[in-house]
Structure formats: structure tokens, C-alpha cells
Amino acid sequence: MGLPDQVTVRAPRAWRLPRPAAVALRLVALLAATSVVTFALVAASPVDPVKANLGQAAYAQMSDAQRAELAEYWGADTPLPQRYAHWLEGALRGDLGQSLRFGRPVTEVVGERSANSLALMAGAWLLAGVLGLALGVAAGARRGGPLDRAVTGICLVLSSMPSFWLGLVALMVFSVGLGWFPLGFSVPIGVDATQVSWASRLHHLVLPALVLGVANAPSIALHTREKTIEVMQGDYARFALSRGETRRQVLLRHGLRNLVLPAVTLECASVGEVFGGSVLVEQVFSYPGLGQAAVTAGLGGDAPLLVAIALASAVVVFAGNAAGDVICALVDPRIREGRREAHGAS
């Protein structure tokens, strides 16, 4: 009598959310946490929104009744939980509140300023990625040579420079000294924005975008340099060199995909750094974007506008990281297959 066949018992498959639903859930949790933290920080700030928006002289001339009325109107004396609950109720309906500093709905202010900021950040982001990748590959391919030493030295110097200081130097050299670019703003002074051509807007955008891009390129260049050195020291690269292929051929045929993947990942992860650097660059160039609006709102205790800008920045950073995941999966099919196997195993 033979032994019974062995029966394989599989554990029940664990239920998990589809990937798009999981990403959307993480985004909602991020936005909720960002709004709570921003409200708490504004409440802990020593800035009095009534005094900041009226001025010390006007505030001193008011009666106690007028001060109490303004404090109630702007919610200065309202407890934080009650203030947040009131804001959240309106936010769920699409109403992010009224800006204290600009006297307009927050959605209008953010909508106008975000167009300028996104154009600035997109140009700087692309410049930082292309420049960082090109310099890193060129330096790493000639390790120890004059080009490698020059690129490494310049990147280390630029990494230690604050973006606002770099912007001031660029203004003095290219705007004041050479006169190639305007001194600031997104349109010429005294001209209606609706009457300005796209060429003029681009002319005002070039120098701030260059400063922001150059300030963020060194980290990508130094990282790409190290990866290039690893590629050129790999067995397949040395074998290709021994067969008579040039360094350029080895990089283009064998190493480019291995170099692009980490560079794209780092570039997408640097969206937050680009957004943070744009705050200082916009201040230096008086560029009317979200960064300048955030500084104005912070100095005036404008909680609704600060929360809206924080939410917008969170969405931008989240989108950058999500785009990095998608691009990496497209560049390297192994990542996409690994996700499918992990999803199937669960």
C-alpha cells in the first residue's frame, strides 16, 4: 500500500490595496499631517497677526473693543483645535480660507503664484539634472585627471554656497555689471502683466532658474561621478576596454543605463530641495512665486495661506518621488517585475 501523496497547503493570500489606491491613501495622510503640523507651528509662532497686518502705529491708536473685534475676525484668540476644525470643514468643500496679507481667497493667491514658481522650479530642475549628469559622467570617466579635479572642486565650492548668496553674486555680475538680465521680478517694472510677451517673461526667468539649477546640480554631479567610477571599474567595463573599445563606447553601450537610473532617482528626490531653494531665490530676485508668498505669510502670521503653500509643496514633493518610481520602473524592467512578484506573492 503506497503512501498518500503529499498535500501542499498554501496560506491564504493577504488582501492589499491596489497600488493607485495605496498611493492616493499615502497622499491623503501626508496632506492631513502637513496641515496639522503647519497649523500648530503658526499657533506657536510669536507673530501676532493683528499687529503684523495693521502695523504698530495703527494698532496703538485702536480701542480695546476694536482690537477684540479684529482678533475675533482673524481668529487670533480662537483655540487651535476649533480653528483647525473650521478650516478643515471649509477645505473639504474646496474653500481654503481668506488670506490676511493679500485680502483675497487663498486659492486665487496660490493659483497665481504657483504658475511662476512651477516655471522657475521646472527650469531649474531640468538644468540641475542635465548639468549634474553630464559633469558627473565626464569627471568619473577621467578619474584623477584635470577635468575630474576641476569638476569636483567646483561642485564642492558650489555646495558650500547658500543659494541666496549665489543669487546676489549673479545679480551683481550679470544684471548690474553686464546688463544681460533684468534686476528681478517676473515682468518689467510699471508694465501690466497682461501686456507682457512670453519672450519678456522668459528673459526675467532665465537668471533665477540658472542660479537655482546651478545650486542644486553639485549633489547630482558628485553622486553620478561615484557611480561612473564604479561602472568603469566593473568587470564588464574592463573586459570591453581590453577588447579595444574606448571609454566613450563603454559608457554609451554598457554603463549609461546603470548611470541614468540612480541619477533619475536622485533628481526626482531633489524636488524638495529645489522647492526650498526657490524660496530664497525668489526673495533675492523679487520673483512673485510661492516662496515669496510664503515669506510674506510667515511674517504676517497668515495661517490659511501658509497651510495652502505647505500643502502645495507637499503635493509637488510627493509627485516628484512618485515620478521617480515610475521612471525607474520604465528604465529598469527588473524593478517592475519585482513589484509584480511581490504583489503576486502577497
Side-chain angles (χ1 to χ4, degrees):
M1 185 175 182
L3 295 175
D5 296 337
Q6 185 177 1
V7 179
T8 303
V9 180
R10 293 186 177 180
R13 178 175 296 182
W15 180 84
R16 61 184 299 177
L17 286 173
R19 184 172 179 79
V23 172
L25 187 61
R26 288 198 295 268
L27 177 59
V28 171
L30 174 64
L31 296 179
T34 301
S35 63
V36 172
V37 172
T38 306
F39 257 96
L41 291 176
V42 174
S45 172
V47 177
D48 187 348
V50 179
K51 293 181 181 179
N53 289 279
L54 290 179
Q56 294 290 345
Y59 185 80
Q61 296 175 0
M62 287 184 173
S63 62
D64 293 339
Q66 290 175 325
R67 295 174 183 175
E69 184 179 354
L70 284 175
E72 181 181 359
Y73 174 75
W74 279 330
D77 297 332
T78 305
L80 177 60
Q82 183 179 349
R83 196 187 318 167
Y84 179 78
H86 177 72
W87 175 87
L88 182 60
E89 181 182 356
L92 294 176
R93 299 194 308 265
D95 181 13
L96 296 179
Q98 193 83 3
S99 173
L100 305 180
R101 296 289 285 181
F102 293 92
R104 299 164 54 195
V106 168
T107 52
E108 292 184 6
V109 178
V110 173
E112 292 179 359
R113 297 300 185 100
S114 61
N116 292 332
S117 288
L118 289 178
L120 173 62
M121 288 188 294
W125 184 76
L126 290 175
L127 176 63
V130 173
L131 186 62
L133 179 63
L135 291 178
V137 171
R142 298 291 181 179
R143 182 185 181 185
L147 180 61
D148 181 27
R149 290 195 295 269
V151 170
T152 304
I154 293 174
C155 288
L156 292 176
V157 171
L158 289 176
S159 298
S160 62
M161 289 185 182
S163 56
F164 73 89
W165 187 86
L166 189 62
L168 291 174
V169 173
L171 273 177
M172 290 188 294
V173 174
F174 297 105
S175 296
V176 178
L178 300 175
W180 292 353
F181 300 100
L183 286 173
F185 305 99
S186 62
V187 296
I189 301 175
V191 179
D192 188 2
T194 59
Q195 306 295 327
V196 180
S197 64
W198 283 105
S200 180
R201 291 178 181 273
L202 184 61
H203 190 211
H204 283 75
L205 176 66
V206 169
L207 190 57
L210 282 174
V211 170
L212 188 58
V214 169
N216 287 275
S219 60
I220 301 174
L222 294 175
H223 181 78
T224 305
R225 173 186 176 274
E226 295 300 323
K227 290 297 181 180
T228 304
I229 293 174
E230 292 181 9
V231 168
M232 296 305 296
Q233 290 180 345
D235 294 336
Y236 61 91
R238 286 188 286 185
F239 177 73
L241 289 173
S242 65
R243 291 190 308 176
E245 295 188 23
T246 63
R247 290 178 176 270
R248 181 180 179 181
Q249 291 175 336
V250 172
L251 284 174
L252 293 178
R253 295 178 181 178
H254 309 288
L256 189 59
R257 175 171 294 184
N258 294 330
L259 295 175
V260 169
L261 187 60
V264 168
T265 304
L266 184 62
E267 171 73 355
C268 292
S270 67
V271 173
E273 297 179 6
V274 174
F275 191 93
S278 68
V279 176
L280 300 176
V281 172
E282 288 177 9
Q283 283 294 108
V284 172
F285 289 91
S286 298
Y287 196 81
L290 288 178
Q292 192 183 54
V295 174
T296 303
L299 295 176
D302 193 347
L305 182 57
L306 272 177
V307 173
I309 294 175
L311 293 178
S313 64
V315 171
V316 171
V317 174
F318 186 88
N321 292 330
D325 292 341
V326 173
I327 294 174
C328 288
L330 293 176
V331 174
D332 192 349
R334 294 173 297 179
I335 298 178
R336 187 167 57 252
E337 294 297 330
R339 290 175 181 174
R340 291 176 181 175
E341 293 176 2
H343 185 77
S346 59

